[in-house]
Amino acid sequence: MAALSRLLRSPPTPYSSILTTAVRRFTAVHNPPSLKGRNVHWVFLGCPGVGKGTYATRLSKLLSVPHIATGDLVRLELSSSSPLSSQLAEIVNQGKLVSDEIIVHLLSKRLEAGEAMGESGFILDGFPRTVRQAEILEGVIDIDLVINLKLREEALIAKCLGRRICSECGGNYNVACIDIKGDNKSPGLYMAPLPPPPECASKLITRADDKEEVVKERLRIYNEMSLPVEEFYRKRGKLLQFDLPGGIPESWPKLLQALNLDDREDGQSAAA
């Protein structure tokens, strides 16, 4: 309520009122009793390339709620011929964070589309990235849980540089084999490659922003602007920090354990 009071006392901004309308319409319509405990409102935090999309997608399927990734919304807009696409291309290629106004605009459009499709609950990935965004979100809906994924910076950089996308089907893969030896200060870390199927192997492309200098700049900006968001949710008792112990086979079962969930409900394999 404190966050909401601050928003009500502060001068209204176009993007906060747009998101308020979209979220309230979305959640007011979709709260069926049969989905109690499943109609979650979760947020994933973590540096670019940490794997937010991978784990949010798996949880989305497990809990039958939509996974809404602002990065995907940005890439979708980039692929369009809208007036916004050229402005976004310049921002993304320089490794800068997209402004609040643009992100809230894209997120509001996605929530309105979800309302029309009858979606219930959500797992947000990539929003909020600033305390201001967190305050806006907290003012219009009660977020249940914030999952903060952590991974060593050297592994993050290697992961980002190894990312590949199939130009035909849009599948995401990773050619990096990360094998960091342990020492007295920290344990070793192994993350196997995620190779494409044979039909995609010759169609792999690299994202324009997956260059070492751009990746390092993204991490710098994230640490500068987004770490306060972690503290925002930590003070509210909503932050779950999860240090990734390795790749999907090692991390997925432990993440489920931390969330008190069981993936046998939908037949998923942690090693998939």
Side-chain angles (χ1 to χ4, degrees):
M1 293 301 295
L4 178 57
S5 299
R6 286 197 299 274
L7 281 171
L8 292 175
R9 289 197 301 268
S10 63
T13 60
Y15 54 93
S16 64
S17 61
I18 289 171
L19 183 61
T20 299
T21 302
V23 173
R24 282 182 176 158
R25 287 178 60 194
F26 183 87
T27 55
V29 176
H30 305 297
N31 191 24
S34 62
L35 287 178
K36 186 176 181 181
R38 293 286 177 145
N39 189 26
V40 302
H41 299 114
W42 288 1
V43 167
F44 262 85
L45 297 181
C47 291
V50 74
K52 297 186 297 294
T54 297
Y55 296 102
T57 297
R58 283 173 167 254
L59 288 170
S60 165
K61 293 176 181 177
L62 186 63
L63 300 175
S64 299
V65 295
H67 164 219
I68 302 176
T70 53
D72 290 344
L73 300 182
V74 168
R75 283 186 283 276
L76 182 63
E77 194 71 22
L78 281 169
S79 67
S80 72
S81 55
S82 71
L84 187 58
S85 61
S86 58
Q87 180 184 352
L88 274 173
E90 183 177 350
I91 294 170
V92 170
N93 290 336
Q94 292 177 3
K96 296 180 180 178
L97 287 181
V98 180
S99 69
D100 286 359
E101 292 90 340
I102 294 175
I103 290 296
V104 169
H105 168 70
L106 296 176
L107 181 56
S108 299
K109 282 203 310 181
R110 173 61 183 84
L111 288 173
E112 289 169 1
E115 177 192 359
M117 293 185 291
E119 291 178 345
S120 177
F122 54 71
I123 296 176
L124 289 181
D125 161 9
F127 185 94
R129 284 191 172 181
T130 65
V131 171
R132 178 57 178 158
Q133 290 178 356
E135 287 177 336
I136 292 171
L137 191 60
E138 193 78 6
V140 297
I141 192 168
D142 185 21
I143 295 299
D144 308 314
L145 180 68
V146 178
I147 302 166
N148 186 31
L149 298 183
K150 292 286 188 178
L151 185 64
R152 294 190 214 176
E153 184 168 313
E154 56 186 309
L156 274 170
I157 293 173
K159 271 193 70 182
C160 289
L161 297 181
R163 288 193 294 197
R164 299 292 185 273
I165 302 170
C166 176
S167 59
E168 188 169 291
C169 72
N172 289 279
Y173 309 102
N174 202 299
V175 299
C177 180
I178 302 170
D179 189 4
I180 301 172
K181 304 302 180 185
D183 54 33
N184 294 332
K185 296 181 180 179
S186 55
L189 178 71
Y190 178 76
M191 304 181 79
L194 296 174
E199 61 270 21
C200 296
S202 63
K203 303 164 187 171
L204 297 184
I205 58 173
T206 304
R207 279 172 37 174
D209 56 333
D210 277 345
K211 300 173 182 176
E212 186 168 359
E213 63 274 16
V214 176
V215 169
K216 288 182 177 179
E217 178 66 5
R218 284 207 307 264
L219 294 177
R220 186 194 67 78
I221 293 175
Y222 178 87
N223 289 327
E224 182 179 295
M225 297 187 64
S226 297
L227 287 179
V229 179
E230 297 178 15
E231 188 60 26
F232 177 90
Y233 285 115
R234 185 178 288 110
K235 287 179 179 178
R236 287 157 177 78
K238 297 183 177 183
L239 190 74
L240 170 66
Q241 180 162 313
F242 184 77
D243 294 294
L244 293 164
I248 296 172
E250 298 83 13
S251 301
W252 177 240
K254 292 184 178 180
L255 178 59
L256 290 177
Q257 184 179 14
L259 296 170
N260 294 315
L261 293 174
D262 188 343
D263 74 339
R264 286 180 295 182
E265 295 176 45
D266 70 345
Q268 274 191 312
S269 168

